[in-house]
Structures are given as structure tokens and as C-alpha cells.
């Protein structure tokens, strides 16, 4: 099948490359000429393990190409995916759909024959209706259907998630659109990945509900971690004890500094606004968003307390900047609020991240970026582990102790054991233990 992917960011690029790997003919379209030129040279705009090899092999095979010309990209396409950004709108927190609607208007002018327009971007309920109205108004004679097909990709594991999904959700109001999408995903169906067909609005809401529920799980275990510290319990054992219950499940029960990234913060906020607009408030999700925002700065205060209550003029070594490992994504990363809290208290921050430094420089000022974890810790009054990259899981603790001016370690991901730290003479503080 021939597929056009409008938007060559995280979702569009991964989805397009994976569809091409299934054997489909995919054209990725993007307005940014610089991004398209870099992609043609196999320079990825994001860090995602394995993506560069996947793109390169499918470009060589002639199944994947890139262009800034939407008309060219849509020629002969049976499915056109809208995979543009839907950031939080400034001022009110609603999803900004301007890029989606602009894409719909341009798509309308280039429809030839029956075409399925698929919203891959995360969009509020009813967006598909508006996309359909826009296209119908711009091109009344067009033969098309609008479908919803939300993505459920984890950054750092996106290719595996696309190729071995828990489920594929398809929201359609047209039998022809369903047939096209089922054929597009047939390679996955052969691997017994379930395709769930729903109404378009149900599909749109499913994506938000999934992300909100995962945000609830993360925030729940973080609050249980706080209680564990007060009563002398171990949150890791509590998490294992409840996670072994099949009704609950073990995933997203790792206590830490709060959630971040490109999805959870903006999607919980968009769901809250949609629910308020429809007079059906989601109070649990409202509280989760508030608790999570407060937690990030609270982690900065935790570091200050561990460093003796005053960090003015002190150097703090921060390991990990991205919101999670195996990505360069800094969007709403806990590290931002933690570092800003430390800086507000007068600390100097030295930081290292395996992939996130360039993106961190865009959102953090006055940070000394080191070229290794040990360089970040040299002469520091405390070490803070913020992101659990594999590179930080087996540090030479004797070397860490020798580099630190004060032997203070704050582990916000519970990577290390307290007894192991004590053996190396380090004053250790974890989460919920």
C-alpha cells in the first residue's frame, strides 16, 4: 500500500519507518526543509535506539522517502496519516490543534480517489469530526473517510512497541476506511496483535484514558513512597506486593521524581480540559497533575535537605537529564524543576546525560555540562541520580566517593542499595525506603 505520513517528528518518523519495514511504500512529509534534508542524509531529528538503521535500510530498499511537498507525498496514497504536534495551548492547557487543522486543509486540496485520512496525533474527542468538516468544506467533491488510529509508543522502545503492540485501536465511521486500515496493519495481525475497531470518538478518548491511567499509577506509587518513608516501609516491596496482583499489574509502579515527557503532562491536561468543557470533571486526574507538578520541586528540596539544608555556593552533580532513559527528550523532565530549585537555592549544577545535553541546553541555563558521569561529580558536594540510564547502574562507587567533596548521594530512581552505599562510606538517600 502507499502511505503518506504528514509530520516527521517522533510519531510520524517511527510509524513511517515501521510501515515501510512491513513492505508498504511510505512518504514522510514535513514543512521543515532542514529536517527533510537531514533525514535524506540519514541524520535523525531525535534519539531513538535502532531508528537510524531502520530508516537507512528502508530508504535503500526504496520503500521510504522524504519530501516537503505534500502534493507529491500524497500521490497515489490510499492512507494519509496526520502525525503533527499537538502541544498544550498557551494560557488554557487545551491541546493546540492548529497544526492538525492546517494539515487537513492542505490534504483536502490533494485528494485523488478514495483516501483514508487518519489522525495519528493525540487529539481530543471530536477532532476527527472537525477534520472531516474542514476537508468537506475545502473540497466538497472529495471521496474520503476520516479515521482515528492513536499511537501507543514508549520513547526508547518505540520500534518494538510498533511492531509488537499490545493492541491496535482503529476508530472508524466508514467500512471502506476499516478495510484500508486492516490491510495496512495486516502484517501485525498475522502476528496475532489484536485490532480493536471502535467509533472514532471512542478511539480518540481511549488514547487519553490510557495515558491518564498510567499517570495515576505513577503518582499513586510516588505518594505511597512518601508514606513508606514516614512509617518505615519499603516502597519497592510494596510495589512488588501489589504488582503481582493481576488486577493491578507491575508496570508503572517504580517510585521516582514524577512523570514527564511529551505525552503524560500535556495529555492529562488536555483530558482535564475536555472533561471540564463537557461538565464531567475527572477529579482524580486533576489531582494527579497537581501532585506531579509539586513533586518535581519537592525532589529539589530533598536534595537540599540531604546536603545539609543549605546549598548556597555548593556544587551539585546531577546524573541524567532526560525524562527517561534511551531518549533525548527533555519535555517536562523532572530534571528541569529539580535543577531550577537547586539553582534558586544558590547551588552550582554540573550535569551529565548520555544523549540529552543538546536538548537540555535549550531549556536550562547556567549549568556546567560534563563529558562523563565522573567529571560531573568531581568536587561536588552531593550526587543526584535523576534518570536511570544503564550507564549509571554500575558506577565505580569507590571512585564516586573519592571525587565527591561530601559523600552525599541522592538516588531518585532507587538504582542502588542502601547497604552497598554504606559499605563505600556514602550517605545515601533513596525514594520510599
Amino acid at each position: 500500500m502507499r502511505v503518506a505520513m504528514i509530520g516527521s517528528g517522533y510519531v510520524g518518523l517511527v510509524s513511517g519507518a515501521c510501515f515501510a519495514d512491513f513492505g508498504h511504500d511510505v512518504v514522510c512529509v514535513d514543512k521543515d526543509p532542514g529536517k527533510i534534508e537531514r533525514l535524506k542524509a540519514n541524520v535523525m531529528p531525535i534519539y531513538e535506539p535502532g531508528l537510524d538503521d531502520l530508516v537507512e535500510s528502508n530508504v535503500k530498499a526504496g520503500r521510504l522517502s522524504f519530501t516537503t511537498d505534500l502534493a507529491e507525498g500524497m500521490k497515489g496514497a490510499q492512507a494519509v496519516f496526520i502525525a503533527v504536534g499537538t502541544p498544550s495551548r498557551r494560557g488554557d492547557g487545551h491541546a493546540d490543534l492548529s497544526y492538525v487543522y492546517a494539515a487537513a486543509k492542505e490534504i483536502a486540496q490533494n485528494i485523488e480517489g478514495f483516501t483514508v485520512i487518519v489522525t495519528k496525533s493525540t487529539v481530543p474527542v471530536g477532532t476527527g469530526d472537525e477534520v472531516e468538516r474542514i476537508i468537506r468544506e475545502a473540497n466538497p467533491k472529495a471521496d474520503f473517510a476520516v479515521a482515528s488510529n492513536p499511537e501507543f509508543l514508549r520513547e526508547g522502545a518505540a520500534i518494538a512497541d510498533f511492531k509488537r503492540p499490545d493492541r491496535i485501536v482503529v476508530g472508524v465511521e466508514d467500512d471502506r476506511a476499516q478495510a484500508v486500515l486492516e490491510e495496512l496493519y495486516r502484517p501485525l495481525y498475522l502476528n496475532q496483535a489484536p485490532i480493536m475497531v471502535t467509533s472514532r470518538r471512542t478511539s480518540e478518548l481511549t488514547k487519553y484514558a490510557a495515558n491518564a491511567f498510567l499517570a495515576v499509577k505513577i503518582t499513586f506509587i510516588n505518594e505511597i513512597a512518601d508514606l513508606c518513608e514516614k512509617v518505615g516501609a519499603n516502597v519497592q516491596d510494596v510495589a512488588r506486593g501489589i504488582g503481582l496482583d493481576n488486577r493491578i499489574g507491575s508496570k508503572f509502579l517504580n517510585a521516582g521524581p514524577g512523570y514527564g515527557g511529551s505525552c503524560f503532562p500535556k495529555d492529562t491536561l488536555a483530558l482535564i480540559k475536555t472533561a471540564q468543557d463537557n461538565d464531567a470533571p475527572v477529579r482524580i486526574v486533576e489531582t494527579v497533575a497537581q501532585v506531579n507538578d509539586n513533586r518535581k520541586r519537592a525532589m529539589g528540596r530533598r536534595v537540599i535537605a540531604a546536603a545539609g539544608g543549605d546549598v548556597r555556593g555548593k556544587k551539585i552533580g546531577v546524573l541524567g537529564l532526560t525524562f527517561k532513559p534511551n531518549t533525548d527528550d527533555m519535555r517536562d523532565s523532572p530534571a528541569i524543576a529539580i535543577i531550577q530549585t537547586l539553582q534558586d537555592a544558590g547551588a552550582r549544577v554540573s550535569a551529565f546525560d548520555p544523549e540529552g545535553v543538546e536538548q537540555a541546553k535549550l531549556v536550562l541555563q547556567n549549568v556546567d555540562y560534563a563529558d562523563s558521569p565522573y567529571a560531573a561529580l568531581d568536587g561536588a558536594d552531593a550526587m543526584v541520580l535523576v534518570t536511570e540510564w544503564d550507564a549509571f547502574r554500575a558506577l565505580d562507587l569507590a571512585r564516586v566517593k573519592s571525587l565527591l567533596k561530601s559523600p552525599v548521594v541522592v538516588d531518585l530512581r532507587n538504582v542502588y542499595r542502601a547497604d552497598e552505599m554504606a559499605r563505600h562510606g556514602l550517605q545515601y538517600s533513596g525514594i520510599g525506603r
Side-chain angles (χ1 to χ4, degrees):
M1 298 185 77
R2 187 165 171 81
V3 177
M5 189 69 63
I6 314 301
S8 297
Y10 185 83
V11 173
L13 186 55
V14 171
S15 301
C18 287
F19 276 136
D21 212 43
F22 293 158
H24 298 305
D25 183 5
V26 180
V27 182
C28 288
V29 183
D30 201 280
K31 290 285 191 188
D32 183 348
K35 181 187 286 186
I36 292 299
E37 287 308 310
R38 289 191 295 274
L39 283 167
K40 287 179 177 178
N42 204 48
V43 177
M44 298 300 106
I46 55 169
Y47 175 74
E48 177 65 31
L51 183 59
D52 51 354
D53 292 336
L54 188 70
V55 169
E56 184 179 26
S57 63
N58 282 284
V59 168
K60 281 183 178 176
R63 293 188 298 264
L64 180 63
S65 59
F66 304 98
T67 183
T68 56
D69 186 342
L70 188 141
E72 176 191 329
M74 278 186 62
K75 277 180 184 170
Q78 293 136 298
V80 178
F81 284 82
I82 299 175
V84 296
T86 54
S88 291
R89 195 165 65 191
R90 283 191 177 182
D92 64 4
H94 283 277
D96 181 352
L97 299 175
S98 57
Y99 302 112
V100 173
Y101 296 153
K105 285 179 184 173
E106 197 170 347
I107 287 167
Q109 304 306 324
N110 295 285
I111 292 175
E112 299 173 358
F114 177 67
T115 308
V116 183
I117 317 302
V118 191
T119 51
K120 196 73 174 164
S121 304
T122 301
V123 295
V125 177
T127 302
D129 300 353
E130 182 64 10
V131 167
E132 184 173 336
R133 188 198 65 76
I134 288 169
I135 296 174
R136 187 79 62 203
E137 185 178 274
N139 188 351
K141 295 181 180 178
D143 186 14
F144 72 98
V146 175
S148 166
N149 175 219
E151 55 84 17
F152 298 98
L153 307 178
R154 295 169 300 159
E155 293 188 40
I159 294 168
D161 284 351
F162 193 98
K163 292 189 171 185
R164 291 182 289 279
D166 295 329
R167 77 295 198 197
I168 301 151
V169 177
V170 170
V172 290
E173 307 295 334
D174 183 297
D175 290 344
R176 294 179 300 169
Q178 180 177 334
V180 167
L181 284 166
E182 285 180 343
E183 179 61 21
L184 193 61
Y185 279 110
R186 189 168 56 85
L188 286 178
Y189 191 67
L190 293 173
N191 293 335
Q192 298 185 321
I195 296 180
M196 178 182 163
V197 180
T198 73
S199 71
R200 198 163 58 202
R201 285 184 164 231
T202 300
S203 173
E204 290 168 341
L205 185 55
T206 298
K207 167 66 176 182
Y208 278 113
N211 278 356
F213 190 82
L214 295 174
V216 169
K217 281 189 81 170
I218 292 169
T219 306
F220 173 81
I221 202 63
N222 284 341
E223 291 205 313
I224 293 296
D226 292 344
L227 180 58
C228 284
E229 291 173 10
K230 299 293 186 182
V231 302
N234 185 321
V235 73
Q236 289 178 305
D237 291 340
V238 172
R240 179 168 165 75
I242 64 175
L244 288 169
D245 186 326
N246 289 331
R247 296 169 300 174
I248 296 172
S250 60
K251 292 180 179 178
F252 286 81
L253 288 178
N254 295 313
Y259 62 76
S262 62
C263 294
F264 288 3
K266 77 175 180 67
D267 291 354
T268 50
L269 198 53
L271 179 61
I272 289 165
K273 296 299 181 182
T274 298
Q276 289 172 347
D277 286 351
N278 287 276
D279 198 25
V282 282
R283 299 297 189 205
I284 290 173
V285 185
E286 289 176 12
T287 302
V288 162
Q290 182 182 6
V291 169
N292 189 68
D293 283 345
N294 293 339
R295 183 171 187 82
K296 294 174 185 178
R297 288 194 73 86
M299 293 298 103
R301 295 192 294 273
R302 176 183 289 248
V303 175
I304 293 169
D310 183 7
V311 292
R312 187 163 301 281
K314 291 183 177 179
K315 176 181 175 179
I316 307 297
V318 174
L319 302 187
L321 296 167
T322 54
F323 86 96
K324 65 182 287 189
N326 297 321
T327 180
D328 61 351
D329 199 337
M330 283 295 298
R331 284 175 286 186
D332 281 297
S333 171
I336 298 171
I338 292 167
I339 288 173
Q340 288 173 343
T341 302
L342 294 171
Q343 290 175 329
D344 289 347
R348 292 180 297 113
V349 173
S350 175
F352 172 75
D353 188 281
E355 293 291 340
V357 169
E358 292 310 310
Q359 291 300 314
K361 287 177 179 177
L362 301 177
V363 291
L364 288 167
Q365 281 77 48
N366 303 315
V367 173
D368 297 323
Y369 294 101
D371 57 8
S372 76
Y374 299 109
L377 302 180
D378 193 5
D381 294 276
M383 163 188 145
V384 190
L385 201 163
V386 180
T387 313
E388 69 278 30
W389 285 88
D390 285 345
F392 305 149
R393 290 184 176 275
L395 293 171
D396 181 341
L397 296 182
R399 187 177 175 188
V400 169
K401 171 71 161 47
S402 70
L403 289 170
L404 289 172
K405 187 190 289 186
S406 302
V408 175
V409 173
V410 182
D411 178 1
L412 299 180
R413 298 290 183 174
N414 287 341
V415 169
Y416 288 93
R417 298 193 310 270
D419 57 350
E420 183 182 19
M421 286 288 180
R423 244 190 348 264
H424 286 88
L426 294 163
Q427 298 169 26
Y428 176 75
S429 171
I431 298 286
R433 300 186 296 177

